[in-house]
Amino acid sequence: MYFLASLSERRRGQLAALSIAAVVIVVGVPLWWRTTETYRAWLPFSQIKDLSKLQLHLSADVEVVFARGTLTPEQQKKLPLTQTQDEEHAVDGDNVKVYIGQRRTAILRINAEMRAGKTVEQLLAVLKPQIKQVLQVMSFSHTDITAALSDRVRFNPGSKESMTHSMRAFTSSPGYEITFSLLNPDPRSHRLHWDIEGAVQTYIQPFLTKLSPLANFSIDSQMLHYAMLGVNPRYNNDRGAFILHADSLAHVINPVEARLGSNAASSNPVLNFLLYVPDAQHSPLYIQDHKKMDVPSNAFHSPRWGGIMVYNVKNLYGPEAEFPVNININMAEVMGVFLTQLRLLVGMESSPPPPGFLVAPCGSVGLADWELDRLMWSRSVENIATATTTITSLAQLLDQIGNIVINDNIAQQVSSAVTSVQLAVAELEAGNLGFALQYSKETILASEKAFFDPSLLHLLYFPDDQKFAIYIPLFLPMCVPILLSLLKMASEARRRYREKQAKKD
Amino acid sequence: MKILTLLSVFGPYLFTDSVNIENSAGQFFSSGHTNNWAVLVCTSRFWFNYRHVANTLSVYRSVKRLGIPDSHIVLMLADDMACNHRNPKPATVFSHKNMELNVYGDDVEVDYRGYEVTVENFLRVLTGRLPPSTPRSKRLLSDDRSNILIYLTGHGGNGFLKFQDSEEISNVELADAFEQMWQKRRYNELLFIIDTCQGASMYERFYSPNIMALASSQVGEDSLSHQPDLAIGVHLMDRYTFYLLEFLEDIHPSSKTNMNDLFKVCPRSLCVSTPGHRTDLFLRNPESVLITDFFGSVRKVEITTEVLNLTHPIQRVEGSPVNGESHREVYSYVDQLPVSEIIHQKPKQKDWHPPDGFILGLWTLILLVFFKTYGIKHLKHIF
């Protein structure tokens, strides 16, 4: 490789090698770095870290109104004058200390000796534990909030009641689908008519309209013929009827579920309500609970799935009737059961109130105002907790894996989610439940959209030896001549320097 | 007078309550799940990998028999066995020699078939990062109370699993995917079964809680196939899955067999390889875990005790007008293939990228050789 060349030629060669090396280092390396880095938009990591220490302050406004005649005149003078309304509340029962109404009012009873000789402040101090109890029933209690935060405090076994409650209700979702199905295993004997549209419009729709701040609901209905239950009921001679025991109920749902359709367009959770009319050979069919007692409603429900009701029609026709028999189903009875199950599945408390409390029935809509408030409280807290977990885990994931591309839209979703969480927490502290729920819904939507964005898939796991294996065949052939020529120049320069030194001496 | 009550909440609080729920107590507290999902993946294609498809389909049949509906099963198969040109019995896939059991049947619902079975799609299904147009049947719509069964079979090695002869998934990627599922609470408990060579290496790297893993062979061992069928000409099943299936045939929806029995399936004498399992990440004792917690779908049920009494009559729905000229909603189908847009589309402007390393290196080499040969002084003759 070493040929005899004139000095000027050698100089030219050295200059060529040096300039190539310079181009490679000055232009090539930055170019390679820029073109192989991944685009990562800016994310508010510091704010997200603050979010992970979630501290919620929930405040509820309570207004205490003293009925006329309750306070002595001296006590009354201390109170600021407020409007006195005349309201008639008929409450019966001697042991009732608290009556909870349909809207957001509750009535407490205090004894005469409790209010004698006390100032207003002392009176209020005496009333405070009772008011606290009322608040726990009507707004939220410790167990409700911990149940709503159950995905963060999962491993602490709360009470049995809270665990079953958290398992029964659906998780928070922006929408739900409700499907009403009529199962007719014996169309040859029974021709069933049900006015599902009217029933839904009258009974279910007002309930769902009242729940609309929480989520969107879409309803559909279907009729399935020749759909059997998966279990064979046993005939009980003393009752003269077929009995379905509570233990076998768990196996009823699966064979039926395969026949139920679902709306393929959305990924919302589905609530199924099935009305089963037993066939003529297996009528009447009753459900028994574990204590071998008949269930009056003849219905059961499955957590996070829906409910099934068995509707017996044997008593509606005699043995000489002409088959198929036309049967009109009593929708009021059916919808009463379905509405109860719907209430439980949406998240209403089913536990009885504390002793001494009397709760008013919830009216025709099926939902008292304070029950809606309870749902809104727990739903807001759940949304905020879920969104916070999502955002913090997304930030952690993006931080850990340096290869994921973060697009602008993801960064924007994350930022808006963080802002909404902060706003929702502020609104909860101020006690504005409606706004808090709205912000919590926005933050859930934004955080879910950011987390489940299809572009965040981490497929770029390269162990280091694979990285070397990719780059070496590309860059080594280019770098070897440059390095060799630089080395040659360096050795020649050293040789000349040594010659010069020798010449000097 | 307004009293502003500030309740500052955080921290668990045990609440003693005297509610009578003994009816549902027993079933609820053995496990915390309300629904079951299954993700069954066969990662091989081509005729000589018949046994992997038969493995997956056999597990699919068992899982369906024990109650998990198709809507809760994500089945990923290359699906090129039943209608393969070399199949002497078309439209069938047998799992036992002498063609005893046709596992393909009439109602197989394959969600990802053919070339859709890729590492990317598998990870997308697990983590939920699917494009919005994906239908419901191709999604894993599990929540924090779902028990998921994941079954993988195919050709594997130490730390990787080969997908369709062209790509591979590493155990680190799988562990990260499970961690992302846990972060988003997409499962309550996970059972991971893998039937490949050196299968135990795939579950070595798991670090998320509530995962139980079973593998057909340890690192350094090969999983062997069970028996060939001379009429079909290929091996029909792998040993581990064959004995797993024999075990599952004895399970019915209300059986109380637990996981410890599953660990004993296919001892070394039958399987030649040593099956392994991993339970350190699992919170419950394997003895208290029922097989049907993962393979079946036993629903929790509560009796509806109190009922609302609705007394008001049904309002007439004023939807159907009497006159013939009713305002009909105009339905239109979504334009699935906007042909006019595609025809008149201008070609997309691709972003300009600077030439990458290979091109740069090639040109540098060429320039170097050129300068060495000709030298700079000759440039004026060329340009």
Side-chain angles (χ1 to χ4, degrees):
Chain A
M1 280 273 297
Y2 197 66
F3 64 95
L4 277 173
S6 65
L7 193 63
S8 62
E9 276 188 12
R10 224 181 302 146
R11 280 296 285 162
R12 200 175 21 85
Q14 286 172 356
L15 208 63
L18 269 175
S19 60
I20 289 176
V23 162
V24 163
I25 292 176
V26 168
V27 176
V29 168
L31 203 62
W32 164 71
W33 189 263
R34 267 289 336 269
T35 50
T36 52
E37 74 177 1
T38 48
Y39 177 74
R40 293 172 76 95
W42 178 83
L43 287 179
F45 281 109
S46 55
Q47 287 185 29
I48 295 174
K49 210 184 300 199
D50 290 335
L51 271 186
S52 62
K53 318 175 208 79
L54 185 64
Q55 280 229 329
L56 288 176
H57 272 195
L58 301 164
S59 67
D61 287 345
V62 176
E63 195 173 318
V64 178
V65 176
F66 288 96
R68 186 179 301 160
T70 326
L71 294 174
T72 59
E74 308 88 55
Q75 290 168 333
Q76 210 165 356
K77 257 187 266 179
K78 292 287 173 58
L79 284 178
L81 248 190
T82 47
Q83 293 282 347
T84 48
Q85 290 167 321
D86 278 327
E87 282 195 33
E88 278 280 322
H89 290 282
V91 181
D92 42 69
D94 306 311
N95 290 334
V96 174
K97 287 206 301 268
V98 181
Y99 172 78
I100 297 184
Q102 273 182 20
R103 291 189 209 99
R104 298 179 174 94
T105 51
I107 304 181
L108 283 86
R109 178 188 291 180
I110 55 175
N111 302 326
E113 60 266 13
M114 276 171 63
R115 61 181 158 105
K118 285 201 178 78
T119 60
V120 176
E121 288 80 18
Q122 285 176 330
L123 194 58
L124 282 171
V126 164
L127 284 176
K128 198 161 163 190
Q130 273 199 324
I131 294 180
K132 194 163 171 190
Q133 247 188 343
V134 170
L135 218 84
Q136 285 188 342
V137 173
M138 286 180 74
S139 291
F140 49 84
S141 65
H142 220 106
T143 37
D144 291 336
I145 302 297
T146 44
L149 294 170
S150 65
D151 70 329
R152 284 167 77 98
V153 291
R154 165 68 74 85
F155 301 130
N156 286 308
S159 73
K160 286 180 177 183
E161 176 61 26
S162 69
M163 188 159 163
T164 54
H165 178 72
S166 77
M167 277 174 68
R168 183 192 308 133
F170 274 91
T171 47
S172 161
S173 160
Y176 296 96
E177 282 176 41
I178 302 181
T179 307
F180 292 101
S181 310
L182 175 60
L183 299 168
N184 187 359
D186 199 5
R188 265 176 296 181
S189 314
H190 306 135
R191 193 175 291 158
L192 301 172
H193 303 277
W194 70 339
D195 183 14
I196 185 69
E197 268 195 62
V200 162
Q201 201 64 26
T202 317
Y203 301 121
I204 306 285
Q205 196 56 48
F207 178 79
L208 296 177
T209 317
K210 203 159 177 187
L211 275 183
S212 54
L214 250 55
N216 296 325
F217 291 90
S218 80
I219 308 180
D220 35 39
S221 66
Q222 62 180 342
M223 265 177 84
L224 291 174
H225 294 289
Y226 293 105
M228 311 283 183
L229 290 183
V231 283
N232 285 326
R234 275 171 291 135
Y235 187 72
N236 189 323
N237 275 317
D238 345 317
R239 295 287 316 283
F242 288 86
I243 301 293
L244 201 56
H245 192 67
D247 288 335
S248 49
L249 289 177
H251 307 292
V252 166
I253 296 179
N254 284 323
V256 180
E257 187 168 6
R259 312 261 325 256
L260 300 172
S262 72
N263 189 356
S266 78
S267 311
N268 288 331
V270 178
L271 287 91
N272 291 301
F273 292 102
L274 271 58
L275 182 63
Y276 181 73
V277 175
D279 47 330
Q281 278 86 5
H282 289 105
S283 275
L285 180 63
Y286 295 110
I287 299 179
Q288 270 186 355
D289 60 12
H290 295 275
K291 299 198 200 79
K292 301 262 197 281
M293 309 262 291
D294 266 3
V295 174
S297 62
N298 225 16
F300 61 98
H301 57 274
S302 177
R304 297 204 182 180
W305 183 80
I308 300 185
M309 176 180 177
V310 178
Y311 189 82
N312 288 312
V313 295
K314 186 99 182 206
N315 48 351
L316 293 177
Y317 56 90
E320 71 286 344
E322 185 186 295
F323 290 119
V325 182
N326 278 318
I327 296 173
N328 276 320
I329 297 184
N330 178 7
M331 294 309 289
E333 181 190 338
V334 167
M335 283 302 165
V337 173
F338 283 160
L339 197 56
T340 320
Q341 293 176 337
L342 182 58
R343 276 167 51 101
L344 288 172
L345 289 169
V346 161
M348 307 284 181
E349 270 296 315
S350 63
S351 58
F357 276 60
L358 178 66
V359 179
C362 49
S364 64
V365 177
L367 189 65
D369 284 354
W370 57 270
E371 285 179 326
L372 178 63
D373 283 350
R374 271 185 85 102
L375 269 184
M376 285 167 79
W377 281 113
S378 58
R379 198 49 80 86
S380 315
V381 169
E382 186 184 346
N383 281 352
I384 291 176
T386 315
T388 316
T389 320
T390 309
I391 298 173
T392 41
S393 66
L394 180 64
Q396 195 187 358
L397 173 77
L398 294 175
D399 207 24
Q400 247 178 348
I401 304 174
N403 276 330
I404 289 188
V405 177
I406 306 178
N407 286 327
D408 282 327
N409 64 330
I410 297 176
Q412 193 229 339
Q413 294 283 349
V414 171
S415 304
S416 79
V418 169
T419 327
S420 300
V421 165
Q422 290 165 341
L423 280 171
V425 171
E427 293 288 351
L428 270 186
E429 187 165 347
N432 300 328
L433 192 50
F435 286 118
L437 185 67
Q438 192 188 336
Y439 284 127
S440 71
K441 279 204 309 193
E442 276 173 28
T443 180
I444 271 253
L445 274 174
S447 61
E448 300 270 312
K449 218 163 153 200
F451 192 91
F452 286 121
D453 192 280
S455 71
L456 281 182
L457 194 69
H458 160 54
L459 265 188
L460 305 169
Y461 171 70
F462 289 132
D464 288 328
D465 48 353
Q466 283 193 18
K467 275 206 188 99
F468 279 124
I470 291 174
Y471 279 129
I472 283 179
L474 289 179
F475 289 127
L476 201 61
M478 180 180 82
C479 289
V480 163
I482 298 176
L483 274 172
L484 283 180
S485 46
L486 285 177
L487 280 174
K488 200 166 73 168
M489 276 197 312
S491 68
E492 209 163 301
R494 211 182 303 131
R495 192 177 50 84
R496 253 185 288 119
Y497 181 68
R498 251 185 267 123
E499 272 178 17
K500 219 183 286 180
Q501 290 286 47
K503 242 195 262 177
K504 262 202 210 146
D505 303 334
Chain B
M1 190 157 160
K2 272 204 172 103
I3 302 173
L4 214 76
T5 315
L6 262 173
L7 287 172
S8 144
V9 194
F10 210 67
Y13 193 73
L14 281 171
F15 206 82
T16 49
D17 216 348
S18 56
V19 177
N20 182 12
I21 49 160
E22 59 199 24
N23 294 342
S24 38
Q27 259 189 323
F28 268 111
F29 304 114
S30 55
S31 78
H33 75 282
T34 59
N35 53 42
N36 285 79
W37 285 81
V39 178
L40 310 173
V41 183
C42 165
T43 60
S44 320
R45 62 186 300 117
F46 305 130
W47 174 247
F48 49 84
N49 290 322
Y50 188 99
R51 57 190 187 283
H52 298 139
V53 171
N55 286 351
T56 318
L57 284 173
S58 312
V59 176
Y60 171 76
R61 292 218 86 74
S62 303
V63 149
K64 259 177 73 159
R65 179 179 61 84
L66 290 172
I68 303 187
D70 271 316
S71 53
H72 283 225
I73 302 179
V74 177
L75 181 62
M76 301 173 77
L77 287 181
D79 209 14
D80 56 351
M81 301 302 161
C83 298
N84 199 305
H85 306 299
R86 290 154 125 182
N87 193 349
K89 299 270 181 188
T92 59
V93 174
F94 291 106
S95 71
H96 206 275
K97 76 172 174 194
N98 300 326
M99 303 191 196
E100 277 172 22
L101 180 60
N102 174 17
V103 289
Y104 202 62
D106 296 332
D107 57 348
V108 170
E109 188 184 295
V110 181
D111 299 305
Y112 287 86
R113 59 159 36 96
Y115 289 108
E116 291 173 352
V117 181
T118 58
V119 173
E120 181 184 339
N121 280 346
F122 177 56
L123 289 178
R124 281 194 192 279
V125 164
L126 285 184
T127 53
R129 296 209 171 97
L130 290 158
S133 57
T134 319
R136 230 184 144 102
S137 57
K138 283 186 160 180
R139 288 181 189 257
L140 180 64
L141 293 169
S142 55
D143 52 29
D144 61 321
R145 295 272 173 202
S146 306
N147 276 8
I148 307 183
L149 164 73
I150 298 187
Y151 177 81
L152 293 175
T153 182
H155 289 292
N158 190 357
F160 66 92
L161 174 61
K162 192 168 71 159
F163 261 73
Q164 303 240 333
D165 241 7
S166 62
E167 48 184 7
E168 41 186 59
I169 184 174
S170 63
N171 48 5
V172 178
E173 279 180 324
L174 198 57
D176 284 340
F178 286 158
E179 174 65 14
Q180 290 188 50
M181 285 175 80
W182 174 250
Q183 290 284 333
K184 212 46 195 86
R185 298 291 184 271
R186 275 165 71 77
Y187 67 89
N188 177 38
E189 287 167 350
L190 201 85
L191 178 64
F192 176 77
I193 303 184
I194 183 162
D195 188 358
T196 65
C197 303
Q198 310 194 50
S201 63
M202 288 306 282
Y203 62 64
E204 272 172 3
R205 299 292 199 105
F206 290 166
Y207 54 95
S208 318
N210 271 346
I211 301 184
M212 195 189 297
L214 283 107
S216 61
S217 55
Q218 301 291 334
V219 175
E221 289 180 345
D222 288 335
S223 278
L224 300 176
S225 58
H226 184 62
Q227 46 179 224
D229 182 303
L230 296 175
I232 298 182
V234 283
H235 287 260
L236 292 183
M237 283 267 277
D238 279 330
R239 284 179 190 244
Y240 183 74
T241 312
F242 184 79
Y243 291 108
L244 178 70
L245 238 62
E246 265 190 16
F247 173 77
L248 285 178
E249 289 293 315
D250 294 331
I251 308 284
H252 53 91
S254 49
S255 75
K256 299 284 174 205
T257 333
N258 59 38
M259 279 294 165
N260 277 339
D261 301 321
L262 191 62
F263 296 153
K264 298 197 200 96
V265 160
C266 204
R268 203 193 161 90
S269 53
L270 289 172
C271 250
V272 185
S273 58
T274 321
H277 58 267
R278 180 178 178 180
T279 52
D280 58 319
L281 293 166
F282 206 72
L283 285 174
R284 290 193 288 150
N285 189 354
E287 210 170 58
S288 64
V289 180
L290 299 176
I291 301 284
T292 49
D293 279 350
F294 289 103
F295 282 94
S297 174
V298 182
R299 301 274 187 179
K300 311 271 191 300
V301 160
E302 280 182 312
I303 307 276
T304 312
T305 43
E306 294 173 8
V307 168
L308 289 175
N309 198 3
L310 299 173
T311 45
H312 51 284
I314 295 183
Q315 303 158 359
R316 280 293 111 211
V317 178
E318 63 278 337
S320 43
V322 179
N323 51 345
E325 289 297 319
S326 51
H327 166 64
R328 289 226 161 266
E329 269 184 50
V330 175
Y331 294 113
S332 61
Y333 286 103
V334 171
D335 203 0
Q336 292 172 357
L337 196 63
V339 178
S340 50
E341 280 175 32
I342 294 176
I343 291 177
H344 299 299
Q345 218 174 30
K346 303 228 180 349
K348 231 187 341 194
Q349 292 281 30
K350 291 184 85 159
D351 301 324
W352 179 81
H353 294 288
D356 60 6
F358 176 68
I359 307 290
L360 275 177
L362 191 65
W363 275 102
T364 314
L365 201 60
I366 292 173
L367 284 172
L368 206 59
V369 169
F370 177 76
F371 282 136
K372 205 159 170 68
T373 326
Y374 290 109
I376 293 185
K377 71 170 183 277
H378 289 283
L379 268 180
K380 61 177 184 295
H381 297 293
I382 299 167
F383 292 108

